[in-house]
Amino acid sequence: VALPDGVSAAALDFLTYYRAAVTTEVAGLDAIVGVYGITGSQSQNNATGIDSVNQLGLDVQLQGEMGDALVGLYGVYQVRGDITDNLGVMTANRGYFIMGKAAFGHAGVCLGLASSDDGAANTKSSIFAVWYSLAQNFEIDMAYESNTSANTNETSTLLLEYVY
């Protein structure tokens, strides 16, 4: 759900999330295929600016080992993403996200692509990232992200990450 400026996710407690998924194996990889939805109406409290949400999507995950590499492929396709504000204006958000990851020992690489269209603007994004584990629970990450819509915005990020 794309939130209006100044609205926290806690204000959206009127939404219901549901998901059905099947787990199986495809070409030696663990696979999960699912259908999800987000729905709800909030006529009592219009503080969020959102009156109703009706979203439906498909998701898939493949992960496992290929040779010496741990690999993962993740994807989401949002079939319907209708959001109506408290003035009755509906935005129909649709799009997809796909990401592939591979890890080789202490290092890994990630590539992702996304596209969304709300009827007024079409946004396309791509990300390329690499990481290296320096020690247990401590890694260095480098990510490059490019977003294209009405304005082009590119970002590079260097992270030192400690996970405990």
Side-chain angles (χ1 to χ4, degrees), residues 86-119:
N86 56 4
L87 300 175
V89 178
M90 185 182 80
T91 303
N93 294 298
R94 286 156 181 68
Y96 68 86
F97 167 77
I98 187 165
M99 179 177 64
K101 288 183 167 186
F104 310 91
H106 293 286
V109 63
C110 170
L111 178 63
L113 301 170
S115 177
S116 65
D117 188 349
D118 66 4

Side-chain angles (χ1 to χ4, degrees), residues 30-104:
D30 295 330
I32 301 172
V33 178
V35 175
Y36 70 89
I38 303 170
T39 185
S41 180
Q42 164 180 288
S43 57
Q44 292 87 7
N45 178 4
N46 286 329
T48 64
I50 296 174
D51 182 58
S52 66
V53 174
N54 190 9
Q55 296 184 331
L56 177 67
L58 308 169
D59 63 83
V60 64
Q61 298 177 34
L62 294 169
Q63 46 195 23
E65 296 180 18
M66 293 183 97
D68 291 335
L70 295 174
V71 297
L73 179 65
Y74 312 91
V76 174
Y77 178 72
Q78 187 160 309
V79 178
R80 180 180 64 233
D82 302 335
I83 300 173
T84 304
D85 68 16
N86 56 4
L87 300 175
V89 178
M90 185 182 80
T91 303
N93 294 298
R94 286 156 181 68
Y96 68 86
F97 167 77
I98 187 165
M99 179 177 64
K101 288 183 167 186
F104 310 91

Side-chain angles (χ1 to χ4, degrees), residues 136-158:
Q136 182 177 348
N137 299 330
F138 188 67
E139 68 182 36
I140 186 168
D141 303 330
M142 180 66 184
Y144 173 78
E145 183 177 355
S146 173
N147 297 304
T148 306
S149 60
N151 300 319
T152 299
N153 179 21
E154 296 180 354
T155 331
S156 295
T157 307
L158 177 63

